Amino acid sequence: MELIVLWDIDHTLIENAGVSKEIYAAAFTALAGRVPAEPARTEGRTDRLIMRDMFQRNGLAEPDWASVEKALADAGEARLHTLSLRGTALPGVREVLKEASVHSGWVSSVLTGNIADNARVKVAAFGLDSLLDLAVGAYGADALQRPDLVAVARERAERLRGAPDGVPVVLVGDTPRDVEAALATGSEIIAVASGVHSTQELADAGARTVLPDLMDTSRVLGILDALSAR
C-alpha cells in the first residue's frame, strides 16, 4: 500500500447549502427544548466541539455525548432528502473519487468533523458513498480535536486494510484547520479553496499545495501519485 487519502466532506466534496447548520439547530432544539440563540459555529471543528460550543453560548449544561450524538444522527437522517435537493457534489469530485477508489495502492476515505452517521448521509445524498472506504474513516465522535482524527484513521487503515506502519497520509480539505491537522501530524495536505477560505488564507496557514477546486482530475491524481512516491 502506497497512500492513505483522507477527504474532508463539507465544502471539499459537497456543498451542503446550509443543511449542516439546520442539523445542529435541530439537534440542539431536541435536547434543549428551545431553538439556539444563534447558528452553530463550524469552520472545520468536530461535532463534539460544535455542540459543546452551542450549549455554552446558550448558557446551558452540555448533555451526555451519547444523547447529543443520537440527536445529531436523527436530525441528519431526517434531512437526507432535503440535502439531496438543495445541495450538490462539488465540481470534479465524482471523477477524482472514482479514480482514487480504483487505485490499487491507495486507501481513499474521509476525515471529517461530522459524526459517522451524518458523514454517510452527506456523501450518500449525492451517490458518493460507494466511492469511499468509509469503514476506515475518522469522524467527529472519534476525538475532540481534528488532528487527533488522523491517528484514528491510520489505525483503522492498518487494522482493516493492512496498511503498513508509516505509509504516507494526505488530507484534502478546505479550511485552515485541515491544514493545521496535517502539519501537526506530519501528514501531507492538499488544500482546496472551494469553501469560504481563499487560496492565500490556506497558503498562509501552511499549505504548500493549494488548488482552487478539484475539477482538474489529472492534476489532483498527479499530486497524489507524487506524494505516494516519497
Side-chain angles (χ1 to χ4, degrees):
M1 188 172 294
E2 304 164 355
L3 192 67
I4 299 171
V5 189
L6 301 172
W7 311 82
D8 176 52
I9 295 178
D10 292 297
H11 311 300
T12 299
L13 298 182
I14 74 160
E15 169 53 54
N16 66 62
V19 175
S20 271
K21 292 193 175 181
E22 292 173 14
I23 290 171
Y24 295 121
F28 177 91
T29 301
L31 293 164
R34 62 177 175 86
V35 299
E38 56 187 272
R41 298 173 181 170
T42 53
E43 297 181 340
R45 295 179 176 90
T46 64
D47 278 359
R48 282 180 177 268
L49 284 179
I50 291 167
M51 293 302 291
R52 174 176 294 180
D53 177 65
M54 287 188 77
F55 280 97
Q56 288 176 345
R57 286 187 292 114
N58 282 272
L60 300 174
E62 181 184 9
D64 66 276
W65 172 247
S67 299
V68 175
E69 186 172 16
K70 183 180 186 305
L72 284 169
D74 289 346
E77 183 63 30
R79 285 161 180 78
L80 171 60
H81 183 61
T82 298
L83 178 61
S84 69
L85 293 177
R86 284 170 41 190
T88 186
L90 287 170
V93 163
R94 195 176 312 277
E95 293 78 12
V96 76
L97 288 185
K98 183 176 180 179
E99 293 298 323
S101 72
V102 298
H103 196 294
S104 61
W106 299 353
V107 169
S108 180
S109 189
V110 297
L111 187 146
T112 174
N114 291 283
I115 62 169
D117 284 348
N118 287 351
R120 292 186 183 93
V121 163
K122 288 180 176 182
V123 293
F126 311 106
L128 304 177
D129 48 325
S130 63
L131 304 178
L132 292 158
D133 189 351
L134 295 176
V136 302
Y139 303 95
D142 292 325
L144 194 64
Q145 301 292 343
R146 198 175 192 92
D148 295 329
L149 296 177
V150 176
V152 173
R154 178 182 286 280
E155 186 279 330
R156 287 175 177 159
E158 292 174 356
R159 175 168 48 86
L160 298 175
R161 302 294 178 257
D165 185 45
V167 65
V169 173
V170 57
L171 309 186
V172 186
D174 67 286
T175 73
R177 281 192 171 84
D178 295 298
V179 180
E180 292 161 8
L183 297 178
T185 59
S187 305
E188 302 291 346
I189 178 70
I190 299 175
V192 188
S194 47
V196 300
H197 298 282
S198 68
T199 55
Q200 189 60 56
E201 287 176 303
L202 295 169
D204 289 345
R208 290 184 295 177
T209 302
V210 184
L211 302 178
D213 48 49
L214 295 173
M215 289 184 66
D216 191 337
T217 302
S218 295
R219 185 180 182 189
V220 177
L221 295 175
I223 294 168
L224 292 173
D225 270 323
L227 293 175
S228 69
R230 288 186 179 179

